[in-house]
Amino acid sequence: MNAMELELGLHDWSTLPCRSCKSAEHVPAELLRMARAQTPDEAKPRDIEFHVLQESWATKTAVPVARALMAGLADRSVSTSARHQFLDLLSSFVVVDDDDIAEACKDAVRAGIWSLYEEVLSGRSQDTALFSYWLLLAAETAPARLERLLQVARDLLPEDLYLDTDN
């Protein structure tokens, strides 16, 4: 068992809402499938969009999904392709139209915030580093930590990120 499976087991998914199905009971299998993916195509979420999230509207199921995604990021065996999709979904969850859901998703991000710092500092991928940085901007409560990250990780993030921060 890994951290993601542990988190998934904490929730009764059959009682959580789904926009397209009777319940969100199918969501854990979808998240585990994504976590095992090795290629970008395999890692694409198939039963999250239009189920948990549709454009900027989310069901309350987004909160346990966000917690599971953050737990998945703690697993070093998760591929860069899967990490990219996890971070992309998380980025969507923290800006949904429902302020309560968005804030609860930010709380889930804060609970695993060191995984995001590690993602930026790992040098695995500029794309995952950028998604992680955006999530840190949304959730970090210590601005000095973000400033320090920019000082030490300039070469790990896209150059155009710094155009607005150099003023």
Side-chain angles (χ1 to χ4, degrees), residues 33-60:
R33 181 198 62 75
M34 290 173 64
R36 290 188 291 270
Q38 296 300 309
T39 68
D41 190 51
E42 290 172 348
K44 287 182 182 170
R46 296 185 188 121
D47 290 333
I48 302 296
E49 295 180 80
F50 303 107
H51 293 263
V52 177
L53 178 71
Q54 185 171 350
E55 296 176 13
S56 62
W57 297 99
T59 67
K60 67 180 184 175

Side-chain angles (χ1 to χ4, degrees), residues 95-155:
V95 296
V96 294
D97 289 337
D98 184 310
D99 291 340
D100 292 336
I101 292 173
E103 192 57 37
C105 288
K106 286 179 191 175
D107 287 342
V109 168
R110 287 181 195 109
I113 206 156
W114 293 110
S115 291
L116 298 177
Y117 280 100
E118 193 279 330
E119 191 66 40
V120 173
L121 295 168
S122 73
R124 275 188 288 268
S125 159
Q126 271 197 345
D127 289 338
T128 60
L130 184 59
F131 271 122
S132 296
Y133 179 74
W134 287 337
L135 283 163
L136 288 165
L137 278 176
E140 178 58 83
T141 59
R145 196 173 294 129
L146 271 176
E147 289 173 25
R148 179 69 179 140
L149 178 66
L150 286 177
Q151 290 171 359
V152 301
R154 277 193 178 269
D155 60 326

Side-chain angles (χ1 to χ4, degrees), residues 8 18 25 27 47 70 85 93 115 121 128 130 134:
L8 290 170
C18 177
E25 194 166 22
V27 170
D47 290 333
M70 287 303 296
Q85 291 299 326
F93 291 162
S115 291
L121 295 168
T128 60
L130 184 59
W134 287 337

Side-chain angles (χ1 to χ4, degrees), residues 67-78:
R67 291 179 185 142
L69 293 171
M70 287 303 296
L73 290 173
D75 185 344
R76 292 177 184 242
S77 70
V78 172

